[in-house]
Amino acid sequence: APVALSAYGEALAESGDRRGALRVLADLEERAATGYVSAYDIGLVYAALGDRDRAFEWLDQAVAERSSFLPYITWDRRADLLRTDPRFGALLRRLGLSPSPSGGV
């Protein structure tokens, strides 16, 4: 399942296995070309890799696809690496969301 695969990619990235995480991303992006894979999940794998530009590209796509996961971004720990980026606040504003009271923007 793409959700489990993205979680695996994040775990690889967080453990320092960049090459493994990139292989998972290639698989996810290939699956996304022929079926539904949440852009939100792909974006957060890129975030785990420290690639903020690609992460925000995919999160923008998640907005376009009206991903049901987006409201969770205010507290999803997988987005922690993005919170200090000005694009994160802009994303929250576009979604009409407030930052998490436990941190965030």
Side-chain angles (χ1 to χ4, degrees), residues 3 21 25 29 38 43 46 70 78 91 93:
V3 171
L25 276 170
E29 290 180 19
S38 173
Y46 276 111
L70 281 167
R78 299 175 300 163
L91 177 68
R93 286 187 293 280

Side-chain angles (χ1 to χ4, degrees), residues 18-105:
R18 183 174 182 80
R19 197 167 22 196
L22 289 171
R23 279 193 305 269
V24 168
L25 276 170
D27 187 8
L28 287 169
E29 290 180 19
E30 183 178 314
R31 290 176 186 218
T34 59
Y36 180 73
V37 176
S38 173
Y40 180 84
D41 287 325
I42 294 174
L44 292 181
V45 176
Y46 276 111
L49 283 167
D51 188 340
R52 290 179 175 203
D53 292 336
R54 293 287 289 162
F56 281 107
E57 286 175 22
W58 280 97
L59 290 174
D60 286 341
Q61 186 172 329
V63 171
E65 73 184 24
R66 301 179 70 105
S67 172
S68 62
F69 297 109
L70 281 167
Y72 303 116
I73 201 163
T74 60
W75 56 265
D76 191 339
R77 68 136 189 98
R78 299 175 300 163
D80 285 351
L81 296 172
L82 302 175
R83 295 187 197 288
T84 59
D85 192 298
R87 293 173 287 186
F88 189 80
L91 177 68
L92 292 182
R93 286 187 293 280
R94 281 185 19 220
L95 296 170
L97 298 172
S98 298
S100 168
S102 64
V105 178

